[in-house]
Each structure stands twice: as structure tokens, then as C-alpha cells.
Amino acid sequence: MTPAPGRPDEPRRTIEPLSPPAGRFDAVMGAAKARRYRRATAVCSVTGVFLAGIFGGLAMGGVSGVQQRVETVAQNIGLRVPSTPSPSHEATSTQASPTRSSSGKTRRPQPSTVTVPVTIPPQAGREKVRGRVVDPTGAPVVGMFVYTSVPGAKSFVPSASPADVTGANGSYDVPCTGGAVLLTPWQLNVPLGRTADGHWAATFVSDPVCSRKAAPTVTSVEPGVTVQGNVRTEFDCATEQFPLWVWLDGNRAAAVRLSGLTEGDQFRVSGLPARRTVLGARGHHTPVPTLVGIVNQDVTFPCSGIPTPTESPSPQPTPSETLTPLPSATSPTPTDTSTQH
């Protein structure tokens, strides 16, 4: 009989471990290296996605451009990107370790899955105003500034900056604000110097279509009118500079602003519509009727610090003048009767 375990007379034997199958050690080391390589590749891919998204997105539309860039690059390299916002956390990488099946064969590890949180821009899907600008021959007009109307204004108030500029085919794409769209050859309400030149006339698109599916609205523009003239002052103030405002259709909110004008300078604004225009020269408003061709109109500026002369009241007489009035120049001179005969 075999002695019971733990008895003093039981001989102690060293249990030799079983030798691994041939080539098993190399297979395990190779799998471990493959896992490390895949993890390093996943980390580098995520880092590259974010860096490419940041630098590329800044040039393609700010935060929304960054998010779209990250999503596009991630999809191109085979990463799974959720379409809905997920909680803010670091990108996670999962790797299945090799396991043995019931048949004794080693299963290959599954590829890594990286989750990148992406937020959909809230303005996505908003309706747009799409249009195209052409000349009378149908050729596209390039470089026209496109202004949208400020929502809620009683009359047309242009946005602070152009919403778009017409491209190579004369097209534009701006947000829908519910009001008219104004096309201009120059920027509005910014200093432009002594001249503002434009070939095509500023034109209103009075009924823009708000839709992402409708065909672009085609607007034909005509050659513009030119208003030019000389700068004059009420007094001699040759060193002072003046701004000149040209109100389109008499609308002060939509104006071409000239700057740096001095006494004796010539100003010029080209590209005006053939409609009523007002020249604003520091409180002096000069209406210009319907424009045709080239209109010459000088403007006069008041000098700052010099009051405009007004009719002064008649001086009041002093008490002495009241008691002893002087004879008027028209009163007859008294004659000496002693000399008359």
C-alpha cells in the first residue's frame, strides 16, 4: 500500500513540469508582440485623427469643421464613430487575449475597436438661401458680396459682415433669415478710402427661396451708376479729414462709407443702383435723384469746433443811450433862422 500523505516515512519527490509543445513558446511571444503592435497602432491612429481634425477643421469652418474632419478620417481608417453624442471620456481600446477553444486550438485575437465621441453641429439641416448672379448676357458674376437681413428689423438692415461672396460660377449659399438678400460690389459700413469702385450695380433679391432642395434663384445685375464730386468745407480747415456716407435708396443702415477725405479732394462711388441716393456729410444730407450714367455732385462739410454762423440779435441800448438818443442819419438838420431874411 502507498503510505498516507504526510507520514514521516514518505519520500519527498520533486514534480517535474510538463514540457510545452514544440514551438508553443514562440507562438505565445509572437501573439504578445502582435497585441502590443496593434495597441500602439490604435493609439497612433487616434492621435493622428485628432491632430488632422484640429488643424484641418480650423481651415474648414471652426468647431463643426473639426468634428466633420475627425469623423471622415476615422471612417477612412476603419474606426467606428457613433452618430450620437457620447459622454466625455478618453478614447478606449479593447483587445481580446488569445484563448483556447474546446478543440485545443488558439483563437486569433479580434481587431481593436476605438470609440471617438463626435457632436453633430446644431445648425446641420437648417434651410439655406441658394442663388446665382449673372450679367445681362447670362455670364456668371464673380466677387459680389452677399448680405442677409437682420431678423426682426422693420426695414432692411444688413448683417455686420457679408454672409458669402459669389464664386466662379456666380453662386452663393447663405443662411435663411426670412428677409431680403442684398448683392453689392463693395462692403457696406466699413471705411473704403476716397473711392469705392464696382462695375455691377448693387441689387436686392426681394423674394429669396428658403430651401436646400429648390433650384438656385438666378439674379441678373445691370451696370452700376457713378456718383463723384469735390469736397468743400464751410471754413478753411484743410487739415481735417471727413467721412462720407452714401445711403443706398436713402437707407442709412445700408451705406457705402468713404473715409480720409480732406478739403479739395475728389470722391467717387461706382456700382450704385439707378435709384434715389443720399449723401451724408457730417449732418449735411444731399439727396440725389434717380441716377443715370455719371452724376457730379459736390458735398460741403462743416468744420469741427467752428460753430455755424447764425443771425445775431440786435444789440440792446444802454441806459444813457435811452435818455439821450442820438439823431438818426435821416433826421433833417436844424436851420439857423437868424440868417434868413
Side-chain angles (χ1 to χ4, degrees):
M1 294 180 62
T2 304
R7 292 178 57 181
D9 56 350
E10 181 182 358
R12 297 182 178 274
R13 282 190 256 176
T14 303
I15 300 175
E16 297 291 338
L18 296 176
S19 299
R24 178 61 180 165
F25 178 78
D26 294 336
V28 173
M29 292 299 296
K33 290 181 180 179
R35 288 197 302 271
R36 288 195 296 270
Y37 176 77
R38 280 189 289 270
R39 288 173 181 170
T41 303
V43 172
C44 293
S45 299
V46 173
T47 304
V49 167
F50 278 95
L51 291 179
I54 290 172
F55 289 105
L58 290 177
M60 296 189 305
V63 177
S64 61
V66 172
Q67 295 164 347
Q68 294 174 1
R69 179 65 175 172
V70 170
E71 182 178 358
T72 302
V73 174
Q75 292 174 352
N76 290 339
I77 65 174
L79 301 180
R80 181 171 60 85
V81 181
S83 58
T84 56
S86 59
S88 176
H89 57 79
E90 297 181 357
T92 59
S93 174
T94 60
Q95 172 66 45
S97 58
T99 58
R100 298 180 68 88
S101 63
S102 58
S103 61
K105 296 183 180 180
T106 303
R107 295 180 181 176
R108 299 184 61 183
Q110 298 296 323
S112 302
T113 300
V114 179
T115 301
V116 180
V118 176
T119 304
I120 300 177
Q123 65 271 21
R126 185 176 298 177
E127 291 185 340
K128 296 280 188 176
V129 173
R130 300 168 59 243
R132 188 166 175 266
V133 185
V134 298
D135 64 15
T137 66
V141 176
V142 182
M144 292 285 282
F145 295 99
V146 185
Y147 285 89
T148 57
S149 176
V150 174
K154 295 182 179 179
S155 59
F156 181 83
V157 177
S159 51
S161 58
D164 200 1
V165 181
T166 57
N169 60 346
S171 62
Y172 61 88
D173 186 345
V174 296
C176 179
T177 61
V181 171
L182 176 59
L183 309 171
T184 64
W186 9 247
Q187 293 192 58
L188 299 176
N189 302 321
V190 295
L192 300 178
R194 300 176 183 178
T195 60
D197 292 326
H199 181 70
W200 303 108
T203 306
F204 277 99
V205 182
S206 56
D207 256 340
V209 179
C210 293
S211 173
R212 300 186 69 89
K213 299 180 179 180
T217 301
V218 178
T219 303
S220 179
V221 292
E222 299 290 335
V225 179
T226 298
V227 172
Q228 61 185 15
N230 297 318
V231 175
R232 299 175 179 176
T233 57
E234 294 179 346
F235 296 95
D236 185 10
C237 49
T239 59
E240 190 171 354
Q241 294 187 352
F242 307 97
L244 176 64
W245 296 77
V246 182
W247 303 351
L248 301 182
D249 199 22
N251 182 4
R252 186 171 186 173
V256 185
R257 180 183 176 186
L258 304 184
S259 59
L261 297 172
T262 58
E263 184 177 357
D265 283 345
Q266 291 185 341
F267 69 89
R268 182 180 68 253
V269 180
S270 302
L272 293 171
R275 303 168 71 174
R276 177 176 174 268
T277 301
V278 175
L279 305 180
R282 189 182 276 179
H284 290 191
H285 301 155
T286 305
V288 180
T290 303
L291 306 178
V292 177
I294 299 177
V295 178
N296 294 303
Q297 179 65 59
D298 296 341
V299 293
T300 302
F301 289 89
C303 297
S304 60
I306 302 178
T308 303
T310 57
E311 188 174 338
S312 58
S314 302
Q316 298 296 325
T318 61
S320 59
E321 291 175 342
T322 305
L323 294 176
T324 56
L326 295 176
S328 63
T330 57
S331 300
T333 304
T335 56
D336 188 357
T337 56
S338 60
T339 59
Q340 295 181 0
H341 298 281

